Amino acid sequence: MRILVVEDEKALAELVADRLKRDRYTVDIAGDGEEGLDNALSGMYDLIILDIMLPKRNGIDILKELRKKDSEVKVIMLTAKAELEDRLLGFGSGANDYVPKPFHIDELAARVNAQLNIGKAVDNRLVFGDIELDYRSSKLRCTGSGEEVGMNNKEFQLLEYLMSNHDRILSRELIYDRIWGMDSEAVSNNLEAYMSFVRKKLKITGSRVTIKTIRNMGYSLEYGAEEG
Ligand code: CA
């Protein structure tokens, strides 16, 4: 899953990003309000951590603009101004949660996980068809055969994204942006390489989940279908 951190204090933004990456999120940072709003409106994010006091556009403004166009994305507001009226203003504009500064980094991570329903609700596992992806051990397990295999970071993120959007055709561009980011220097044939790694691992476990290639359109994760 992909998270945007809109925060002008660079050291804090990087601290938050590093902590969330440890929980296997893909994290992007925007350092001012304009960049934050542009990125937030891209539709690429599952959750946005939004500071209120920002250069160019403030966080409340960004949240209001965002809610006009996208009601789905989770937003956690972050600010040094911990007064009650700010909290009310934040929730009144459609924030999902509010964390006053200073905060403990693990508490913020816990709140992110709670918003994205990872941990409690699914017991640290993502499930589709006969496979489970384990967030603690980074392993892919086939519930049919009981076989499991370790996944590296990108393989994990790729399969997680496919599982979260199973039976939908996802274009190469969409997948690439989600996993490697818009300004990534990674070359695009990385995607094919990782698709093939993940396919092999699915096969090793004996799963009936397959990644279908939809010609000229992209990929789709399916259960029980013929491989394509
Ligand atoms: Ca700030």
Side-chain angles (χ1 to χ4, degrees):
M1 287 194 227
R2 195 170 194 108
I3 295 175
L4 175 67
V5 178
V6 188
E7 168 62 75
D8 57 315
E9 290 168 56
K10 201 160 177 274
L12 178 62
E14 279 167 7
L15 182 75
V16 169
D18 287 347
R19 177 62 186 81
L20 294 174
K21 283 174 187 170
R22 267 174 42 204
D23 282 354
R24 305 203 157 277
Y25 295 107
T26 306
V27 186
D28 299 320
I29 295 172
D32 68 54
E34 271 176 15
E35 189 190 351
L37 181 59
D38 278 355
N39 288 4
L41 290 174
S42 70
M44 282 171 53
Y45 297 98
D46 302 292
L47 184 141
I48 298 170
I49 295 173
L50 188 55
D51 189 25
I52 290 182
M53 302 296 282
L54 290 163
K56 297 183 185 174
R57 297 287 290 261
N58 74 53
I60 301 287
D61 253 22
I62 293 173
L63 183 58
K64 282 182 182 157
E65 285 297 312
L66 187 59
R67 284 297 182 240
K68 281 185 203 163
K69 290 167 179 117
D70 180 356
S71 54
E72 301 264 308
V73 64
K74 305 280 188 188
V75 177
I76 297 180
M77 302 296 285
L78 217 61
T79 186
K81 292 172 70 187
E83 290 89 359
L84 187 63
E85 55 266 41
D86 278 345
R87 288 181 192 241
L88 293 175
L89 202 54
F91 282 118
S93 319
N96 299 90
D97 199 359
Y98 183 101
V99 180
K101 291 178 185 173
F103 53 85
H104 194 285
I105 192 74
D106 288 333
E107 194 202 330
L108 178 63
R111 289 189 188 218
V112 167
N113 287 334
Q115 286 297 333
L116 295 174
N117 283 323
I118 288 172
K120 280 172 273 178
V122 292
D123 191 26
N124 282 302
R125 286 173 305 150
L126 185 63
V127 179
F128 169 65
D130 62 1
I131 57 172
E132 295 178 349
L133 207 48
D134 190 316
Y135 284 86
R136 283 211 182 106
S137 65
S138 303
K139 280 183 176 165
L140 164 66
R141 186 179 306 114
C142 174
T143 52
S145 66
E147 292 292 325
E148 56 180 33
V149 62
M151 306 283 277
N152 75 28
N153 212 24
K154 284 286 177 252
E155 293 168 350
F156 190 98
Q157 289 173 358
L158 181 57
L159 186 56
E160 178 196 43
Y161 184 53
L162 293 170
M163 286 173 76
S164 304
N165 295 281
H166 62 82
D167 296 302
R168 277 182 52 196
I169 299 172
L170 303 167
S171 72
R172 295 186 75 263
E173 292 73 24
L174 190 62
I175 297 169
Y176 193 77
D177 285 349
R178 287 293 292 227
I179 309 299
W180 281 272
M182 288 183 291
D183 54 4
S184 169
E185 286 173 18
V187 287
S188 63
N189 64 15
N190 264 3
L191 178 60
E192 271 76 37
Y194 276 96
M195 280 291 175
S196 119
F197 298 154
V198 173
R199 278 186 168 129
K200 273 181 196 145
K201 290 192 171 177
L202 285 167
K203 206 165 244 175
I204 287 168
T205 64
S207 169
R208 295 179 64 219
V209 172
T210 53
I211 301 169
K212 291 196 83 169
T213 303
I214 316 292
R215 218 179 146 196
N216 297 328
M217 293 183 77
Y219 299 96
S220 170
L221 192 74
E222 298 180 8
Y223 175 54
E226 288 301 308
E227 194 165 0

